[in-house]
């Protein structure tokens, strides 16, 4: 049986790649060639996310702000699951950049230019464009822009419209597991990711994280069903019980779908899993998947 391959969209793989400043520089230059960035450095977030480490003994910092040679700041994230509230997530990361980079004693006039960049394994805006960029504009006069000095960029790995650099196209090919792009950046990223998949210590961390996500899903399933039963019982009606169970089940199944997406599974694979779990046909599982997502 072939080993599972963890690709660029995997949370740990992405963070390991972005730990190297040369990767950060190459990717930012691919996205924003007009800025002519020549050097970057990583500023570690002081508030690490509680995830598994290689050896289960030390914390892994999942968030790092990147600073370039012109004192501009960047937060680059990978988004696999098309979850609700993407705009609020962007807003949160923008606030984190402001909080982490404004030095003690400085005020808002000292805020540097910042970019929140999301690599999305889905189309975040439904227009099939490969890159979306957002700023603050006046509602009635689109020529009037509020100079917040902040930028939001959403990159759609599935898009086909719009001009992007060959280097960014190469990164998107890596996201989509296309290994035939001869661009030096694509070749370098594929080689590095292959190395992480072969490394026993890192592979153990990847498998541990996968199992932890599964455990969290099982716990969520149990809690969701218990909550559903409790809500139904509180209603005192059979309809209340059914609705409570259904709501708990839906929330848990949606969590499962997001977990499987984070693991790199395709829509077809996820639908097959739902069909097996619910003992339903593929068509019924497909309809349920579409309803939830």
């Amino acid at each position: 049986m072939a080993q599972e391959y963890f690709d660029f969209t995997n949370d740990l793989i992405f963070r390991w790649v972005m730990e190297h400043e040369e990767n950060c520089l190459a990717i930012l230059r691919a996205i924003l060639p007009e800025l002519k960035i020549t050097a970057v450095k990583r500023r570690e977030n002081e508030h690490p996310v509680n995830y598994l480490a290689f050896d289960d003994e030390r914390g892994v910092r999942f968030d790092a702000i990147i600073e370039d040679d012109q004192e501009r700041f960047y937060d680059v994230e990978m988004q696999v699951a098309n979850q609700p509230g993407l705009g609020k997530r962007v807003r949160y990361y923008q606030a984190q950049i402001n909080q982490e980079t404004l030095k003690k004693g400085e005020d808002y006039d000292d805020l540097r230019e910042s970019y929140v960049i999301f690599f999305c394994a889905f189309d975040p805006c439904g227009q099939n464009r490969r890159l979306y960029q957002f700023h603050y504009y006046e509602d009635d006069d689109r020529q009037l822009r509020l100079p917040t000095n902040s930028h939001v960029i959403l990159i759609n790995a599935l898009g086909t419209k719009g001009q992007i650099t060959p280097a960014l196209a190469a990164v998107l090919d890596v996201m989509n597991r296309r290994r035939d792009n001869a661009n030096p950046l694509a070749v370098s990223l594929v080689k590095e990711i292959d190395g992480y998949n072969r490394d026993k210590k890192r592979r153990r961390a990847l498998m541990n994280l996968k199992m932890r996500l599964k455990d969290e899903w099982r716990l969520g399933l149990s809690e969701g069903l218990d909550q559903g039963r409790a809500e139904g019982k509180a209603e005192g009606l059979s309809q209340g019980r059914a609705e409570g169970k259904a709501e708990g089940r839906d929330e848990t199944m949606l969590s499962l779908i997001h977990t499987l997406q984070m693991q790199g599974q395709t829509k077809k694979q996820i639908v097959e899993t739902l069909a097996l779990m619910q003992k339903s046909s593929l068509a019924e599982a497909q309809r349920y998947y579409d309803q939830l997502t």
Side-chain angles (χ1 to χ4, degrees), residues 158-178:
L158 305 180
T160 60
K161 295 180 180 179
Q163 294 296 318
I164 58 175
T165 65
L168 181 54
V171 175
L172 298 187
D173 276 351
V174 175
M175 281 185 66
N176 290 312
R177 292 197 182 190
R178 299 190 187 109

Short mmCIF file of all heavy atoms in Angstrom, two decimals, residues 158-178:
data_model
loop_
_atom_site.label_atom_id
_atom_site.label_comp_id
_atom_site.label_asym_id
_atom_site.label_seq_id
_atom_site.Cartn_x
_atom_site.Cartn_y
_atom_site.Cartn_z
N LEU A 158 -7.79 27.34 -8.21
CA LEU A 158 -8.61 26.73 -9.24
C LEU A 158 -8.92 27.68 -10.39
O LEU A 158 -9.56 27.29 -11.37
CB LEU A 158 -9.93 26.23 -8.63
CG LEU A 158 -9.82 25.28 -7.45
CD1 LEU A 158 -11.21 24.88 -6.96
CD2 LEU A 158 -9.01 24.05 -7.82
N GLY A 159 -8.50 28.94 -10.28
CA GLY A 159 -8.88 29.96 -11.25
C GLY A 159 -8.16 29.80 -12.58
O GLY A 159 -7.08 29.21 -12.68
N THR A 160 -8.76 30.38 -13.61
CA THR A 160 -8.16 30.37 -14.95
C THR A 160 -8.11 31.77 -15.56
O THR A 160 -7.49 31.96 -16.60
CB THR A 160 -8.97 29.46 -15.90
OG1 THR A 160 -10.33 29.93 -15.99
CG2 THR A 160 -8.97 28.02 -15.40
N LYS A 161 -8.76 32.75 -14.94
CA LYS A 161 -8.82 34.10 -15.50
C LYS A 161 -7.82 35.03 -14.81
O LYS A 161 -7.53 34.87 -13.63
CB LYS A 161 -10.22 34.69 -15.35
CG LYS A 161 -11.30 33.96 -16.14
CD LYS A 161 -12.65 34.62 -15.92
CE LYS A 161 -13.75 33.92 -16.70
NZ LYS A 161 -15.08 34.57 -16.47
N GLY A 162 -7.34 36.01 -15.59
CA GLY A 162 -6.47 37.02 -15.02
C GLY A 162 -5.00 36.68 -15.20
O GLY A 162 -4.60 35.51 -15.26
N GLN A 163 -4.19 37.74 -15.30
CA GLN A 163 -2.76 37.58 -15.50
C GLN A 163 -2.04 37.46 -14.16
O GLN A 163 -2.27 38.25 -13.25
CB GLN A 163 -2.21 38.79 -16.27
CG GLN A 163 -2.72 38.90 -17.69
CD GLN A 163 -2.30 37.74 -18.56
OE1 GLN A 163 -1.14 37.30 -18.48
NE2 GLN A 163 -3.21 37.23 -19.37
N ILE A 164 -1.19 36.48 -14.05
CA ILE A 164 -0.31 36.33 -12.89
C ILE A 164 1.08 35.99 -13.40
O ILE A 164 1.26 35.62 -14.56
CB ILE A 164 -0.80 35.23 -11.90
CG1 ILE A 164 -0.91 33.88 -12.60
CG2 ILE A 164 -2.11 35.63 -11.26
CD1 ILE A 164 -1.27 32.73 -11.66
N THR A 165 2.08 36.10 -12.55
CA THR A 165 3.45 35.82 -12.97
C THR A 165 3.63 34.31 -13.19
O THR A 165 2.92 33.50 -12.58
CB THR A 165 4.45 36.28 -11.91
OG1 THR A 165 4.26 35.50 -10.71
CG2 THR A 165 4.28 37.75 -11.58
N PRO A 166 4.58 33.92 -14.04
CA PRO A 166 4.88 32.49 -14.21
C PRO A 166 5.25 31.82 -12.89
O PRO A 166 4.92 30.65 -12.67
CB PRO A 166 6.05 32.50 -15.19
CG PRO A 166 5.89 33.76 -15.96
CD PRO A 166 5.34 34.76 -14.98
N ALA A 167 5.92 32.57 -12.01
CA ALA A 167 6.31 31.98 -10.73
C ALA A 167 5.10 31.69 -9.86
O ALA A 167 5.04 30.64 -9.20
CB ALA A 167 7.27 32.92 -9.99
N LEU A 168 4.10 32.59 -9.85
CA LEU A 168 2.90 32.33 -9.07
C LEU A 168 2.11 31.18 -9.69
O LEU A 168 1.55 30.34 -8.97
CB LEU A 168 2.03 33.58 -8.97
CG LEU A 168 0.73 33.43 -8.16
CD1 LEU A 168 1.01 32.90 -6.77
CD2 LEU A 168 -0.01 34.77 -8.08
N ALA A 169 2.05 31.13 -11.02
CA ALA A 169 1.40 29.99 -11.68
C ALA A 169 2.07 28.69 -11.28
O ALA A 169 1.41 27.66 -11.11
CB ALA A 169 1.44 30.18 -13.20
N ALA A 170 3.38 28.73 -11.09
CA ALA A 170 4.12 27.54 -10.67
C ALA A 170 3.72 27.12 -9.26
O ALA A 170 3.56 25.93 -8.97
CB ALA A 170 5.62 27.81 -10.74
N VAL A 171 3.56 28.11 -8.36
CA VAL A 171 3.13 27.80 -6.99
C VAL A 171 1.74 27.15 -7.01
O VAL A 171 1.49 26.18 -6.28
CB VAL A 171 3.13 29.07 -6.12
CG1 VAL A 171 2.58 28.76 -4.73
CG2 VAL A 171 4.53 29.65 -6.01
N LEU A 172 0.85 27.67 -7.84
CA LEU A 172 -0.50 27.10 -7.92
C LEU A 172 -0.46 25.69 -8.49
O LEU A 172 -1.24 24.82 -8.07
CB LEU A 172 -1.39 28.00 -8.77
CG LEU A 172 -1.60 29.42 -8.24
CD1 LEU A 172 -2.65 30.15 -9.06
CD2 LEU A 172 -2.00 29.41 -6.77
N ASP A 173 0.45 25.42 -9.41
CA ASP A 173 0.61 24.05 -9.91
C ASP A 173 1.05 23.12 -8.78
O ASP A 173 0.59 21.98 -8.69
CB ASP A 173 1.62 24.01 -11.05
CG ASP A 173 1.00 24.36 -12.39
OD1 ASP A 173 -0.24 24.46 -12.47
OD2 ASP A 173 1.76 24.53 -13.37
N VAL A 174 1.93 23.60 -7.93
CA VAL A 174 2.36 22.79 -6.78
C VAL A 174 1.18 22.53 -5.85
O VAL A 174 0.99 21.41 -5.35
CB VAL A 174 3.51 23.48 -6.02
CG1 VAL A 174 3.86 22.71 -4.76
CG2 VAL A 174 4.74 23.60 -6.92
N MET A 175 0.35 23.55 -5.61
CA MET A 175 -0.85 23.37 -4.79
C MET A 175 -1.77 22.29 -5.37
O MET A 175 -2.37 21.51 -4.63
CB MET A 175 -1.64 24.68 -4.67
CG MET A 175 -1.09 25.66 -3.68
SD MET A 175 -2.19 27.11 -3.52
CE MET A 175 -3.65 26.36 -2.78
N ASN A 176 -1.85 22.25 -6.70
CA ASN A 176 -2.74 21.30 -7.38
C ASN A 176 -2.06 19.98 -7.71
O ASN A 176 -2.59 19.19 -8.50
CB ASN A 176 -3.28 21.95 -8.66
CG ASN A 176 -4.25 23.08 -8.37
OD1 ASN A 176 -5.15 22.94 -7.57
ND2 ASN A 176 -4.05 24.23 -9.02
N ARG A 177 -0.89 19.75 -7.14
CA ARG A 177 -0.15 18.50 -7.30
C ARG A 177 0.24 18.24 -8.76
O ARG A 177 0.35 17.09 -9.19
CB ARG A 177 -0.94 17.31 -6.77
CG ARG A 177 -1.13 17.29 -5.27
CD ARG A 177 -1.54 15.91 -4.79
NE ARG A 177 -1.77 15.87 -3.35
CZ ARG A 177 -1.95 14.75 -2.66
NH1 ARG A 177 -1.95 13.58 -3.28
NH2 ARG A 177 -2.17 14.79 -1.36
N ARG A 178 0.47 19.29 -9.51
CA ARG A 178 1.00 19.13 -10.86
C ARG A 178 2.52 19.20 -10.77
O ARG A 178 3.08 20.21 -10.34
CB ARG A 178 0.46 20.22 -11.78
CG ARG A 178 -1.05 20.22 -11.91
CD ARG A 178 -1.50 21.16 -13.02
NE ARG A 178 -2.95 21.29 -13.04
CZ ARG A 178 -3.63 22.37 -12.68
NH1 ARG A 178 -2.97 23.43 -12.26
NH2 ARG A 178 -4.95 22.39 -12.73
#
